[in-house]
């Protein structure tokens, strides 16, 4: 952090998405449900606090009743559990004890509820009978639902902000970010967040400037402070001096002109100087992003991250709800292909309504296909919806987080079950769609030849592959500087995948953010990749670069690059040898 005499403060963070914006700050302090504040409540406020608690119980219970109502036939086996939860909302041990604790300790409802829930969970843990022990989990789930309402009461909903402001938050989840109203919000900055976190991925697709991982932004910025957000450089400037403001207004104009220039040429084909045609596809999180994918001339959807629908609904959608969304998506894109990835929940896309278990190490926990195989009924619902939507367009099915051959065999068995159910139910579906897996766990790289025997295509997920190969939590700003696509180990891994795909005649895609960064394109072309899926905002820039490159040169250069042993040597080589074809760099920097 750097402060001048006039009070101008500059803080360095991590670029979330490029571009510059200038505007008034709007501070929202979102700590999330997991960090519960404790504060005393004076004797005359105790009854009001109890009423606040009771109110949250009523709302959470009403929500729960609605979920039970909406259950489709395919989820009705969960009815018993949900009805048990209905009773627990007013259970003496939870409800009565929480009210007693507010009174006795004169503390806020959140803290009282947390205290009572923890005590109950400890008590149930001691019980030998596994059935009764599991009741402890039911209580925790009900408590989470009440807690969400208690916290939400004080919370600002991102989608309700209707001023032309820059949001300053401690943290925004990917689901929060997807709620941002583009016509109102100029940009956003957060204390938390790391490179290629899902928050940054959503920010890029919105094409609004953002800086993440600032550490102390919410402490240093006050509402209505003037803020400059330089998303390209990853810095924010609080209460800028006049001269700084002037400089950034010019920079902003240059960036806008550059973006307009790139977009003007976006209809031209992605063909290199030596005639190699590339396939540039879009990664999307919401069906609504199809508009942006089309505007940016994506040749299809290379990755549809399906988890956002689950996160936004705060419950498992039914097969019919999923079918409606998937059908809408494939029909809008028809005849272009759409790759639907099955639920990749947990990791940084955690939602207590979907899975209330908090893990110490979520990136290494019950994430993606692991969660789906443990929750087979939910997995079958999603696969059935995908196979039904496949009668309306061009769909590929993609499975995330595969780490061994056993998992893909289990997935195939689940697909068979889905097909059997659909046949019995007399529903129209198409099971002849390509099946692919994400290669994003190091074990999958080493097993690529073995995995290839069971699938039609691979899609390299570099966001996670880098995280797992280099042991860097992609959300953690303290190690963000070590999260490097140019690490020689990463390039060697991608090389292995490319060889396995070629030798086994398996179609190969890359859908990690690495594919959308111009600094990586010469390497990826040299490795022989031709199907690149990225944030749709990056497509015009990457296309322009591809049109200036020569694949035979990139192949020769790759031999040199593969001989380098440090990130710096690789980055320097690209900067020196591809300077002319690299896009925008502000002269001022
Ligand atoms: C990846 O890991 O590279 C990827 C595309 O998936 P996600 O970012 O959703 O984990
Ligand atoms: Mg991934």
């Amino acid at each position: 952090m750097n402060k001048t005499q006039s009070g101008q403060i500059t803080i360095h963070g991590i670029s979330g998405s490029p571009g510059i914006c200038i505007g008034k700050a709007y501070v929202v302090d979102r700590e999330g449900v997991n960090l519960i504040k404790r504060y005393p409540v004076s004797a005359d406020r105790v009854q009001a606090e109890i009423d606040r608690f009771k109110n949250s119980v009523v709302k959470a219970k009403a929500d729960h009743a609605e979920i039970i109502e909406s259950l489709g036939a395919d989820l009705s086996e969960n009815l018993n559990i949900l009805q048990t939860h209905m009773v627990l909302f007013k259970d003496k041990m939870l409800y009565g004890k929480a009210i007693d604790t507010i009174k006795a300790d004169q503390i806020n409802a959140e803290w009282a509820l947390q205290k009572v829930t923890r005590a109950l969970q400890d008590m149930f843990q001691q019980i030998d009978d596994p059935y009764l022990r599991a009741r402890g989990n039911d209580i925790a789930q009900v408590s989470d639902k009440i807690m969400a309402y208690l916290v939400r009461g004080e919370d600002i909903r991102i989608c309700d902000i209707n001023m032309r402001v820059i949001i300053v938050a401690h943290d925004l989840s990917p689901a929060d970010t997807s709620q941002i109203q583009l016509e109102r919000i100029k940009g956003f900055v957060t204390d938390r967040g790391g490179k290629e976190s899902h928050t940054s991925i959503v920010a890029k697709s919105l094409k609004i400037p953002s800086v993440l991982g600032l550490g102390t932004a919410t402490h240093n910025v006050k509402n209505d402070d003037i803020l400059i957000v330089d998303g390209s450089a990853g810095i924010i400037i609080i209460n800028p001096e006049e001269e700084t403001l002037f400089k950034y207004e010019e920079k902003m104009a240059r960036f806008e002109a550059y973006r307009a220039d790139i977009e003007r040429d976006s209809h031209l084909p992605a063909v290199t100087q030596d005639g190699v045609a590339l396939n540039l596809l879009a990664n999307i999180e919401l069906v609504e992003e199809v508009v942006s994918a089309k505007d940016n001339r994506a040749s299809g959807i290379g990755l549809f991250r399906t988890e956002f629908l689950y996160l936004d609904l705060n419950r498992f959608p039914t097969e019919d709800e999923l079918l409606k969304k998937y059908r809408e998506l494939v029909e809008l894109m028809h005849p272009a292909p759409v790759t639907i990835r099955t639920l990749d929940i947990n990791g940084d896309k955690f939602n207590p309504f979907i899975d209330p278990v908090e893990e110490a190490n979520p990136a290494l926990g019950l994430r993606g296909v692991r969660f789906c195989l443990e929750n087979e009924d939910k997995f079958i619902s999603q696969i059935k919806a995908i196979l039904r939507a496949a009668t309306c367009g061009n769909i590929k099915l993609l499975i995330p987080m595969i780490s061994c051959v056993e998992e893909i065999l289990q997935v195939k068995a689940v697909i068979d079950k889905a097909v059997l159910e659909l046949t019995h139910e007399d529903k129209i579906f198409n099971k002849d769609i390509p099946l692919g897996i994400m290669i994003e766990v190091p074990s999958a790289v080493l097993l690529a030849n073995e995995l290839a025997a069971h699938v039609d295509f691979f899609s390299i997920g570099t966001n996670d592959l880098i995280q797992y190969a280099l042991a860097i939590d992609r959300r953690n700003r303290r190690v963000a500087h070590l999260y490097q696509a140019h690490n020689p180990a990463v390039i060697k891994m991608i090389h292995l995948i490319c060889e396995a795909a070629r030798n086994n005649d398996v179609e190969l895609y890359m859908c990690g953010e690495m594919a959308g960064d111009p600094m990586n394109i010469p390497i990826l072309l040299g490795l022989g990749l031709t199907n690149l899926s990225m944030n749709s905002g990056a497509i015009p820039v990457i296309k322009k670069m591809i049109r200036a490159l020569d694949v035979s040169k990139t192949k020769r250069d790759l031999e040199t690059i593969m001989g380098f042993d440090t990130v710096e040597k690789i980055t320097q080589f690209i900067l020196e040898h591809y300077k002319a074809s690299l896009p925008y760099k502000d002269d001022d920097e």
Side-chain angles (χ1 to χ4, degrees), residues 198 305 341 344 349 367 400-401 438 440 461-465 468 474:
H198 284 94
R305 291 184 167 96
R341 185 177 72 183
D344 186 12
K349 287 168 286 187
R367 185 193 154 178
M401 291 292 293
M438 298 279 296
E440 54 184 345
T462 53
N463 306 339
D464 278 313
L465 188 58
Y468 295 126
R474 57 196 266 199

Side-chain angles (χ1 to χ4, degrees), residues 491-508:
I491 297 171
K492 281 188 204 301
M493 282 196 168
I494 299 173
H495 186 239
L496 283 177
I497 305 167
C498 292
E499 289 208 317
R502 230 184 333 264
N503 294 339
N504 294 283
D505 214 7
V506 159
E507 229 188 331
L508 182 62

Side-chain angles (χ1 to χ4, degrees), residues 401-584:
M401 291 292 293
I402 291 285
S403 63
C404 56
V405 170
E406 289 87 335
E407 270 169 350
I408 189 64
L409 294 177
Q410 286 171 46
V411 168
K412 286 184 144 183
V414 173
I415 297 175
D416 288 344
K417 279 190 196 168
V419 166
L420 210 64
E421 283 189 18
L422 288 168
T423 312
H424 285 316
E425 289 160 11
D426 236 357
K427 290 176 177 158
I428 302 170
F429 65 96
N430 174 11
K431 66 178 173 48
D432 297 319
I433 56 173
L435 172 67
I437 53 172
M438 298 279 296
I439 304 284
E440 54 184 345
V441 179
S443 61
V445 177
L446 297 176
L447 286 172
N449 283 307
E450 287 78 0
L451 289 165
H454 304 282
V455 296
D456 303 302
F457 68 98
F458 287 159
S459 192
I460 309 176
T462 53
N463 306 339
D464 278 313
L465 188 58
I466 297 173
Q467 152 165 276
Y468 295 126
L470 305 183
I472 304 294
D473 178 347
R474 57 196 266 199
R475 298 170 308 162
N476 186 339
R477 68 184 197 93
R478 300 174 68 200
V479 286
H481 61 290
L482 297 170
Y483 186 103
Q484 286 155 328
H486 284 181
N487 187 305
V490 173
I491 297 171
K492 281 188 204 301
M493 282 196 168
I494 299 173
H495 186 239
L496 283 177
I497 305 167
C498 292
E499 289 208 317
R502 230 184 333 264
N503 294 339
N504 294 283
D505 214 7
V506 159
E507 229 188 331
L508 182 62
Y509 291 78
M510 175 177 282
C511 64
E513 291 297 293
M514 199 173 157
D517 183 344
M519 282 295 285
N520 304 323
I521 296 299
I523 301 174
L524 302 183
L525 294 196
L527 284 164
L529 275 148
T530 53
N531 299 308
L532 302 177
S533 191
M534 61 199 75
N535 238 289
S536 52
I539 293 177
V541 182
I542 299 297
K543 194 185 267 185
K544 185 165 175 127
M545 183 170 187
I546 283 170
R547 291 173 58 78
L549 294 179
D550 194 303
V551 173
S552 51
K553 171 175 158 48
T554 62
K555 285 197 189 299
R556 283 195 304 278
D557 285 344
L558 185 75
E559 283 179 30
T560 313
I561 290 170
M562 295 283 293
F564 290 140
D565 56 359
T566 64
V567 173
E568 201 193 334
K569 285 179 194 164
I570 297 176
T571 305
Q572 270 314 316
F573 184 89
I574 300 288
L575 285 173
E576 272 168 33
H577 292 76
Y578 291 90
K579 196 171 191 306
S581 38
L582 283 169
Y584 185 74

